[in-house]
Amino acid sequence: LVGFLAHGDAGARKYAEWTAKACRRDGIDFELRECKALELEDKLNEANKDKNVHGIMIYYPCFGAKPSFYGGNMDDYLRDSVAVEKDVEGLCHTYRTSLYHDVRFLKTLSGSVTSKKCLLPCTPLAIVKALEHLKLYDSSLPVGERLRGKTVTVINRSEIVGRPLSAMIANDGADVYSVDISSIYLLKRGKMIETKKDVETACRGSQVIVTGVPTKSFKLNVDWVQPGTVVVNVSHFKNVDEKELLKIPGVKYIPLIGKVTVAMLERNLIRLVENFHTPGKETKVVEAGGRIIE
Protein backbone atom coordinates (compact mmCIF):
# COMPACT_ATOMS: atom_id res chain seq x y z
CA LEU A 1 0.00 0.00 0.00
CA VAL A 2 1.40 3.39 -1.06
CA GLY A 3 0.13 6.73 0.23
CA PHE A 4 1.01 10.03 -1.43
CA LEU A 5 1.30 13.21 0.64
CA ALA A 6 1.86 16.38 -1.40
CA HIS A 7 0.95 19.09 1.10
CA GLY A 8 1.37 20.01 4.76
CA ASP A 9 -2.14 19.42 6.08
CA ALA A 10 -1.89 18.31 9.73
CA GLY A 11 -5.03 16.19 9.55
CA ALA A 12 -3.76 14.28 6.52
CA ARG A 13 -0.43 13.62 8.20
CA LYS A 14 -2.22 12.29 11.30
CA TYR A 15 -4.29 9.99 9.07
CA ALA A 16 -1.05 8.79 7.45
CA GLU A 17 0.43 8.06 10.89
CA TRP A 18 -2.66 6.04 11.89
CA THR A 19 -2.48 4.16 8.59
CA ALA A 20 1.21 3.30 9.06
CA LYS A 21 0.64 2.12 12.64
CA ALA A 22 -2.34 -0.06 11.71
CA CYS A 23 -0.56 -1.58 8.72
CA ARG A 24 2.52 -2.46 10.79
CA ARG A 25 0.28 -4.12 13.35
CA ASP A 26 -1.61 -6.10 10.72
CA GLY A 27 1.33 -7.18 8.56
CA ILE A 28 0.68 -4.84 5.62
CA ASP A 29 3.57 -3.04 3.90
CA PHE A 30 2.74 0.66 3.88
CA GLU A 31 4.95 3.32 2.33
CA LEU A 32 4.29 7.05 2.64
CA ARG A 33 5.72 8.85 -0.36
CA GLU A 34 6.03 12.62 0.01
CA CYS A 35 6.48 14.84 -3.02
CA LYS A 36 5.69 18.29 -4.36
CA ALA A 37 2.19 18.75 -5.71
CA LEU A 38 3.41 19.31 -9.28
CA GLU A 39 5.35 16.01 -9.13
CA LEU A 40 2.36 13.99 -7.95
CA GLU A 41 0.95 13.01 -11.33
CA ASP A 42 4.26 11.47 -12.46
CA LYS A 43 4.75 9.70 -9.12
CA LEU A 44 1.20 8.34 -9.31
CA ASN A 45 1.75 6.99 -12.82
CA GLU A 46 4.90 5.20 -11.63
CA ALA A 47 2.94 3.53 -8.83
CA ASN A 48 0.12 2.58 -11.22
CA LYS A 49 2.66 0.64 -13.33
CA ASP A 50 4.56 -0.93 -10.41
CA LYS A 51 3.51 -4.59 -10.01
CA ASN A 52 4.70 -4.55 -6.41
CA VAL A 53 2.12 -1.91 -5.50
CA HIS A 54 -1.36 -3.35 -4.82
CA GLY A 55 -3.08 -0.26 -3.42
CA ILE A 56 -2.70 3.52 -3.86
CA MET A 57 -4.15 6.39 -1.89
CA ILE A 58 -3.70 10.15 -2.06
CA TYR A 59 -4.12 12.46 0.89
CA TYR A 60 -6.43 15.23 -0.33
CA PRO A 61 -6.75 18.12 -0.88
CA CYS A 62 -3.61 18.52 -2.98
CA PHE A 63 -4.67 21.37 -5.26
CA GLY A 64 -8.08 22.27 -3.84
CA ALA A 65 -10.20 24.08 -6.41
CA LYS A 66 -7.27 24.98 -8.66
CA PRO A 67 -8.06 24.17 -12.31
CA SER A 68 -6.39 21.37 -14.20
CA PHE A 69 -4.67 21.50 -17.60
CA TYR A 70 -6.91 18.51 -18.44
CA GLY A 71 -10.19 20.22 -17.50
CA GLY A 72 -12.08 20.47 -14.22
CA ASN A 73 -9.88 20.67 -11.15
CA MET A 74 -6.63 18.83 -10.51
CA ASP A 75 -7.76 16.85 -7.47
CA ASP A 76 -10.66 15.37 -9.47
CA TYR A 77 -8.25 14.52 -12.28
CA LEU A 78 -5.91 12.75 -9.85
CA ARG A 79 -8.77 10.72 -8.36
CA ASP A 80 -9.65 9.47 -11.83
CA SER A 81 -5.99 8.73 -12.62
CA VAL A 82 -5.58 6.05 -9.94
CA ALA A 83 -5.77 2.62 -11.59
CA VAL A 84 -9.06 0.86 -10.81
CA GLU A 85 -7.17 -2.25 -9.68
CA LYS A 86 -5.19 -0.16 -7.17
CA ASP A 87 -7.71 2.45 -6.07
CA VAL A 88 -7.94 1.57 -2.38
CA GLU A 89 -10.03 4.68 -1.66
CA GLY A 90 -12.76 3.75 -4.15
CA LEU A 91 -12.86 7.27 -5.60
CA CYS A 92 -11.93 6.78 -9.27
CA HIS A 93 -14.49 7.08 -12.07
CA THR A 94 -15.31 3.37 -12.17
CA TYR A 95 -16.13 3.03 -8.48
CA ARG A 96 -17.72 6.48 -8.21
CA THR A 97 -20.05 5.87 -11.15
CA SER A 98 -20.97 2.45 -9.80
CA LEU A 99 -21.81 3.96 -6.42
CA TYR A 100 -24.03 6.68 -7.80
CA HIS A 101 -25.89 4.15 -9.98
CA ASP A 102 -26.12 1.65 -7.10
CA VAL A 103 -24.07 -0.94 -9.01
CA ARG A 104 -22.43 -3.19 -6.43
CA PHE A 105 -20.35 -5.52 -8.64
CA LEU A 106 -17.82 -4.79 -11.39
CA LYS A 107 -18.77 -5.46 -15.00
CA THR A 108 -16.80 -6.93 -17.89
CA LEU A 109 -16.29 -5.25 -21.27
CA SER A 110 -19.44 -6.94 -22.56
CA GLY A 111 -21.44 -5.54 -19.65
CA SER A 112 -21.97 -8.81 -17.80
CA VAL A 113 -21.83 -8.62 -14.01
CA THR A 114 -18.92 -10.36 -12.25
CA SER A 115 -18.56 -11.63 -8.69
CA LYS A 116 -15.99 -8.89 -7.96
CA LYS A 117 -17.46 -6.35 -5.55
CA CYS A 118 -16.96 -2.63 -6.20
CA LEU A 119 -14.98 -0.66 -3.64
CA LEU A 120 -16.58 2.07 -1.56
CA PRO A 121 -14.88 5.24 -0.21
CA CYS A 122 -13.24 4.58 3.15
CA THR A 123 -14.64 7.33 5.38
CA PRO A 124 -18.26 7.00 4.19
CA LEU A 125 -17.94 3.22 4.53
CA ALA A 126 -16.62 3.65 8.09
CA ILE A 127 -19.69 5.72 8.97
CA VAL A 128 -22.01 3.10 7.48
CA LYS A 129 -20.28 0.38 9.52
CA ALA A 130 -20.70 2.50 12.67
CA LEU A 131 -24.42 2.91 11.93
CA GLU A 132 -24.72 -0.85 11.37
CA HIS A 133 -23.05 -1.45 14.73
CA LEU A 134 -25.56 0.89 16.39
CA LYS A 135 -28.42 -1.14 14.84
CA LEU A 136 -29.66 1.68 12.60
CA TYR A 137 -29.69 -0.86 9.78
CA ASP A 138 -32.49 -3.44 9.90
CA SER A 139 -30.80 -6.72 8.98
CA SER A 140 -34.17 -8.43 8.55
CA LEU A 141 -34.78 -6.36 5.41
CA PRO A 142 -33.21 -7.04 1.99
CA VAL A 143 -29.89 -5.42 1.09
CA GLY A 144 -30.66 -1.97 -0.27
CA GLU A 145 -33.70 -1.53 1.98
CA ARG A 146 -32.17 -1.74 5.45
CA LEU A 147 -32.49 1.99 6.16
CA ARG A 148 -36.06 2.14 4.93
CA GLY A 149 -38.05 4.68 6.92
CA LYS A 150 -34.96 6.46 8.26
CA THR A 151 -34.07 10.10 7.66
CA VAL A 152 -30.46 11.28 7.69
CA THR A 153 -28.95 14.77 7.41
CA VAL A 154 -25.38 15.07 6.10
CA ILE A 155 -23.85 18.54 6.55
CA ASN A 156 -21.05 18.27 3.99
CA ARG A 157 -21.16 17.65 0.24
CA SER A 158 -17.47 17.09 -0.51
CA GLU A 159 -16.42 14.57 -3.15
CA ILE A 160 -14.49 12.61 -0.50
CA VAL A 161 -17.08 12.26 2.26
CA GLY A 162 -20.43 14.02 2.06
CA ARG A 163 -21.55 13.27 -1.48
CA PRO A 164 -20.61 9.55 -1.53
CA LEU A 165 -21.93 9.03 2.02
CA SER A 166 -25.27 10.56 1.09
CA ALA A 167 -25.49 8.31 -1.97
CA MET A 168 -24.58 5.18 0.01
CA ILE A 169 -27.22 5.87 2.65
CA ALA A 170 -29.85 6.73 0.02
CA ASN A 171 -28.98 3.50 -1.81
CA ASP A 172 -29.80 1.66 1.41
CA GLY A 173 -33.31 3.10 1.51
CA ALA A 174 -33.05 6.27 3.63
CA ASP A 175 -34.18 9.79 2.83
CA VAL A 176 -31.04 11.93 2.99
CA TYR A 177 -30.82 15.70 3.30
CA SER A 178 -27.52 16.79 1.75
CA VAL A 179 -26.42 20.19 3.05
CA ASP A 180 -23.62 22.49 1.96
CA ILE A 181 -22.89 26.17 2.49
CA SER A 182 -25.49 27.42 0.00
CA SER A 183 -28.04 24.67 -0.65
CA ILE A 184 -29.94 21.67 0.65
CA TYR A 185 -31.22 18.74 -1.40
CA LEU A 186 -33.23 15.63 -0.64
CA LEU A 187 -31.54 12.47 -1.91
CA LYS A 188 -33.50 9.34 -2.61
CA ARG A 189 -32.09 6.33 -4.42
CA GLY A 190 -30.64 7.71 -7.67
CA LYS A 191 -32.39 11.07 -7.31
CA MET A 192 -31.33 14.51 -6.05
CA ILE A 193 -34.44 16.61 -5.44
CA GLU A 194 -34.76 20.30 -4.63
CA THR A 195 -36.45 20.85 -1.28
CA LYS A 196 -37.90 23.84 0.53
CA LYS A 197 -36.87 22.48 3.91
CA ASP A 198 -34.16 24.30 5.81
CA VAL A 199 -31.33 22.74 7.80
CA GLU A 200 -33.16 23.07 11.11
CA THR A 201 -36.24 21.24 9.83
CA ALA A 202 -34.09 18.51 8.26
CA CYS A 203 -32.11 17.96 11.45
CA ARG A 204 -35.20 17.92 13.67
CA GLY A 205 -36.68 15.14 11.52
CA SER A 206 -33.51 13.02 11.33
CA GLN A 207 -32.52 9.91 13.22
CA VAL A 208 -28.89 10.47 12.14
CA ILE A 209 -26.96 13.74 11.69
CA VAL A 210 -23.46 13.70 10.19
CA THR A 211 -21.32 16.84 10.39
CA GLY A 212 -18.20 17.34 8.32
CA VAL A 213 -17.67 21.10 8.18
CA PRO A 214 -13.93 21.90 7.97
CA THR A 215 -14.04 25.11 10.02
CA LYS A 216 -13.74 25.97 13.70
CA SER A 217 -16.63 28.41 13.52
CA PHE A 218 -19.40 25.96 12.57
CA LYS A 219 -21.39 24.44 15.41
CA LEU A 220 -24.47 22.26 15.03
CA ASN A 221 -27.34 23.80 16.98
CA VAL A 222 -28.09 21.17 19.63
CA ASP A 223 -31.66 22.48 19.93
CA TRP A 224 -32.24 20.82 16.55
CA VAL A 225 -31.19 17.37 17.81
CA GLN A 226 -34.01 15.10 18.96
CA PRO A 227 -33.73 12.52 21.76
CA GLY A 228 -32.23 9.25 20.55
CA THR A 229 -30.47 10.78 17.54
CA VAL A 230 -27.09 9.47 16.38
CA VAL A 231 -24.65 12.34 15.74
CA VAL A 232 -21.39 11.66 13.86
CA ASN A 233 -18.58 14.21 13.61
CA VAL A 234 -16.19 13.58 10.70
CA SER A 235 -14.54 17.01 10.67
CA HIS A 236 -11.08 17.63 12.10
CA PHE A 237 -12.90 20.27 14.17
CA LYS A 238 -15.58 19.71 16.77
CA ASN A 239 -18.74 20.65 14.89
CA VAL A 240 -20.91 20.40 18.02
CA ASP A 241 -20.82 21.35 21.69
CA GLU A 242 -20.30 17.85 23.05
CA LYS A 243 -21.23 18.71 26.64
CA GLU A 244 -24.59 20.20 25.64
CA LEU A 245 -25.25 17.47 23.06
CA LEU A 246 -24.84 14.69 25.62
CA LYS A 247 -27.47 16.26 27.86
CA ILE A 248 -30.09 15.21 25.30
CA PRO A 249 -31.69 11.89 26.34
CA GLY A 250 -30.60 8.84 24.35
CA VAL A 251 -28.23 10.65 22.02
CA LYS A 252 -25.39 8.52 20.65
CA TYR A 253 -22.35 10.57 19.68
CA ILE A 254 -19.40 9.47 17.53
CA PRO A 255 -16.72 12.20 17.87
CA LEU A 256 -14.12 10.63 15.56
CA ILE A 257 -14.21 8.12 12.74
CA GLY A 258 -10.53 8.07 11.68
CA LYS A 259 -9.48 4.70 13.11
CA VAL A 260 -12.50 2.96 11.58
CA THR A 261 -11.61 4.66 8.30
CA VAL A 262 -8.15 3.06 8.46
CA ALA A 263 -9.76 -0.34 9.06
CA MET A 264 -11.92 0.19 5.95
CA LEU A 265 -8.77 1.14 4.04
CA GLU A 266 -7.26 -2.22 4.96
CA ARG A 267 -10.52 -3.95 4.04
CA ASN A 268 -10.47 -2.31 0.62
CA LEU A 269 -6.84 -3.34 0.09
CA ILE A 270 -7.77 -6.97 0.79
CA ARG A 271 -10.63 -6.68 -1.70
CA LEU A 272 -8.26 -5.30 -4.37
CA VAL A 273 -5.89 -8.22 -3.82
CA GLU A 274 -8.79 -10.69 -4.06
CA ASN A 275 -10.19 -9.00 -7.18
CA PHE A 276 -6.99 -8.30 -9.11
CA HIS A 277 -3.72 -9.40 -7.50
CA THR A 278 -4.14 -12.98 -6.26
CA PRO A 279 -1.14 -14.96 -7.60
CA GLY A 280 -2.13 -16.99 -10.63
CA LYS A 281 -5.48 -15.22 -10.91
CA GLU A 282 -4.43 -11.75 -12.05
CA THR A 283 -7.19 -9.95 -13.93
CA LYS A 284 -6.33 -7.60 -16.77
CA VAL A 285 -8.04 -4.21 -16.77
CA VAL A 286 -8.66 -1.86 -19.66
CA GLU A 287 -6.74 1.31 -18.80
CA ALA A 288 -9.42 3.76 -19.95
CA GLY A 289 -12.62 3.21 -18.01
CA GLY A 290 -11.52 0.47 -15.68
CA ARG A 291 -13.64 -2.35 -17.14
CA ILE A 292 -12.27 -5.83 -16.55
CA ILE A 293 -11.50 -8.17 -19.44
CA GLU A 294 -13.42 -11.45 -19.66
Side-chain angles (χ1 to χ4, degrees):
L1 175 61
V2 168
F4 286 103
L5 185 62
H7 55 84
D9 182 77
R13 186 168 293 280
K14 178 60 68 175
Y15 182 23
E17 291 172 0
W18 284 344
T19 303
K21 183 177 179 180
C23 287
R24 283 196 302 269
R25 180 194 64 210
D26 297 331
I28 296 170
D29 291 334
F30 172 73
E31 180 184 351
L32 180 64
R33 298 181 182 178
E34 298 190 50
C35 63
K36 295 178 180 179
L38 291 176
E39 299 173 345
L40 183 52
E41 182 183 3
D42 289 340
K43 299 295 185 183
L44 172 59
N45 287 334
E46 290 174 9
N48 275 339
K49 296 173 183 177
D50 187 344
K51 292 184 178 180
N52 293 316
V53 174
H54 302 122
I56 296 171
M57 62 182 301
I58 298 172
Y59 293 98
Y60 298 103
C62 301
F63 293 88
K66 290 181 180 178
S68 167
F69 175 84
Y70 309 99
N73 70 62
M74 193 62 183
D75 280 2
D76 287 344
Y77 171 76
L78 290 169
R79 277 192 284 274
D80 286 338
S81 298
V82 180
V84 66
E85 68 271 27
K86 299 187 180 186
D87 180 17
V88 75
E89 296 180 286
L91 292 170
C92 71
H93 180 269
T94 296
Y95 295 128
R96 194 171 66 248
T97 302
S98 297
L99 166 60
Y100 293 133
H101 289 85
D102 198 15
V103 174
R104 304 193 180 206
F105 294 86
L106 288 168
K107 295 181 179 181
T108 64
L109 283 174
S110 65
S112 61
V113 178
T114 73
S115 61
K116 301 178 186 297
K117 287 187 176 181
C118 293
L119 270 68
L120 294 167
C122 300
T123 299
L125 182 58
I127 296 168
V128 166
K129 293 300 180 183
L131 297 181
E132 287 179 344
H133 178 73
L134 293 174
K135 309 300 183 185
L136 268 295
Y137 277 69
D138 186 346
S139 60
S140 69
L141 295 175
V143 172
E145 297 292 337
R146 291 178 176 176
L147 284 178
R148 184 195 304 163
K150 298 290 193 304
T151 301
V152 179
T153 295
V154 179
I155 308 175
N156 174 292
R157 204 182 296 143
S158 71
E159 299 300 325
I160 305 296
V161 179
R163 189 184 294 273
L165 173 63
S166 296
M168 289 166 66
I169 294 173
N171 287 345
D172 286 331
D175 286 349
V176 183
Y177 289 99
S178 172
V179 180
D180 73 359
I181 194 169
S182 60
S183 63
I184 177 170
Y185 287 89
L186 171 62
L187 272 65
K188 293 177 178 286
R189 196 189 320 269
K191 296 180 180 179
M192 191 169 182
I193 305 163
E194 291 186 5
T195 178
K196 294 183 179 180
K197 288 191 177 182
D198 57 19
V199 182
E200 177 181 352
T201 305
C203 288
R204 287 184 181 276
S206 294
Q207 291 77 51
V208 180
I209 301 172
V210 180
T211 62
V213 182
T215 62
K216 290 182 179 180
S217 59
F218 174 82
K219 295 292 182 184
L220 174 68
N221 189 331
V222 296
D223 291 339
W224 301 349
V225 180
Q226 299 302 301
T229 301
V230 174
V231 178
V232 185
N233 180 74
V234 295
S235 174
H236 298 313
F237 303 100
K238 297 296 184 184
N239 284 166
V240 65
D241 184 328
E242 297 177 350
K243 185 177 180 180
E244 293 301 313
L245 176 68
L246 294 174
K247 291 179 181 178
I248 301 170
V251 161
K252 296 182 177 68
Y253 176 52
I254 301 174
L256 296 167
I257 204 71
K259 292 184 179 180
V260 185
T261 297
V262 173
M264 295 304 99
L265 185 73
E266 293 185 325
R267 176 185 185 270
N268 278 357
L269 180 64
I270 292 169
R271 180 151 291 167
L272 286 175
V273 171
E274 291 174 342
N275 282 354
F276 301 109
H277 306 294
T278 302
K281 297 182 180 179
E282 291 86 351
T283 304
K284 293 184 178 180
V285 177
V286 177
E287 184 173 346
R291 299 288 288 280
I292 67 174
I293 295 175
E294 297 175 82

